[in-house]
Amino acid sequence: RVRPMYPAVNLFKDDHDNDDITDVFNFQISIPVNYSSTSIARICILPEFYFTFDYPTPKLDIRMTAAPLLCVQNPVPSATFEAARIQGDLVFHSNTLPESSDYVRYDRIYASTLFNKFTAMELAAVEPVAYAYALRNFTLQLDEKLKLFGNYDILQMSKTNIDHSGTFNTFTFEASLRVHDQIIRYVPPWYENFKFGWIQYFCIAYVVYYFLDLVRSILVKQAIINTIAIWESRQRVVN
């Protein structure tokens, strides 16, 4: 009888500036491995995140699920390593600019998960699921900063009180995903375009008016062309 072996997962959210907003997602997965007959060539993890962006003025509400693919390749497939680590930034990516409008909504179309639309075999392969998430107009991408394969000394999460000592029959995968401030470009409504655009047309009109008035003054004063000045006057009648 084969005894089932399950991975151990530890999660930790780090808030550096204590503003109740997560700055770093840390998670660690310990996988039971029989190193006498197994060598890990690559490890891929597909974590799913729920992303929200709510900006009241102008109205722009984005709610979506996203699953960036995290993969680390063993540089020496025949070698036996005990741990892998990946570090990077979670970046919002849009194929089309979101539109700020009362007639366009983004709080439902991408809010549902895609995991329940795949079979167990496809979920185990992870690539088809990651490809389906990447086809969405809005998604999260990983800007990779660091990838490591090695022993337990490459792990950096001991300060989070997560036990990664393990045994020789445990392979540990660690990921640190940073969330930083980002600029999201969008299509503004007409009143916002007018709010920030009217001053441009006013400045252009003022420069054109000043230039035409200067040309008119030169033409009249220098008598470049024949001109006749006409003044209209009104007579006052006193009884």
Side-chain angles (χ1 to χ4, degrees), residues 3 11 53 57 87 100 102 107 149 163 169 179 184 219 223:
R3 182 171 60 89
L11 302 176
F53 177 81
T57 308
Q87 184 175 336
S100 176
D102 294 333
D107 58 343
F149 241 91
D163 181 16
N169 294 326
V179 182
I184 297 180
L219 293 178

Side-chain angles (χ1 to χ4, degrees), residues 15-30:
D15 183 9
H16 294 318
D17 47 9
N18 297 320
D19 59 353
D20 294 330
I21 299 177
T22 302
D23 298 314
V24 181
F25 288 99
N26 297 316
F27 61 89
Q28 192 177 79
I29 301 176
S30 297

Side-chain angles (χ1 to χ4, degrees), residues 41-208:
R42 186 180 68 151
I43 180 170
C44 292
I45 305 295
L46 192 66
E48 186 182 54
F49 295 91
Y50 187 75
F51 176 87
T52 61
F53 177 81
D54 188 4
Y55 192 65
T57 308
K59 185 178 180 180
L60 188 61
D61 186 6
I62 300 177
R63 303 176 187 273
M64 69 177 192
T65 56
L69 183 61
L70 313 179
C71 281
V72 182
Q73 186 78 29
N74 188 344
V76 185
S78 60
T80 300
F81 292 105
E82 301 172 341
R85 180 168 173 253
I86 188 171
Q87 184 175 336
D89 298 339
L90 285 178
V91 180
F92 174 79
H93 175 75
S94 61
N95 294 323
T96 60
L97 294 180
E99 182 178 351
S100 176
S101 173
D102 294 333
Y103 306 100
V104 181
R105 300 186 61 175
Y106 304 104
D107 58 343
R108 297 179 180 177
I109 185 171
Y110 299 130
S112 60
T113 181
L114 296 180
F115 279 38
N116 54 11
K117 298 183 180 180
F118 292 88
T119 63
M121 295 297 295
E122 291 172 333
L123 290 174
V126 303
E127 281 87 355
V129 187
Y131 179 72
Y133 274 103
L135 288 178
R136 289 180 166 183
N137 287 332
F138 305 143
T139 185
L140 292 179
Q141 294 182 346
L142 178 65
D143 184 11
E144 297 176 352
K145 303 296 184 182
L146 179 66
K147 284 184 176 182
L148 292 176
F149 241 91
N151 298 322
Y152 289 127
D153 54 357
I154 68 171
L155 303 179
Q156 300 293 323
M157 291 176 62
S158 58
K159 64 180 181 180
T160 64
N161 297 323
I162 294 178
D163 181 16
H164 61 256
S165 58
T167 64
F168 185 71
N169 294 326
T170 301
F171 181 87
T172 303
F173 176 77
E174 182 181 275
S176 298
L177 309 179
R178 189 169 67 97
V179 182
H180 56 81
D181 294 336
Q182 300 179 48
I183 298 176
I184 297 180
R185 301 180 60 188
Y186 65 95
V187 179
W190 67 268
Y191 54 84
E192 188 175 357
N193 284 328
F194 177 78
K195 174 183 177 182
F196 294 101
W198 72 270
I199 188 64
Q200 304 176 26
Y201 299 104
F202 174 79
C203 293
I204 295 174
Y206 183 82
V207 171
V208 172

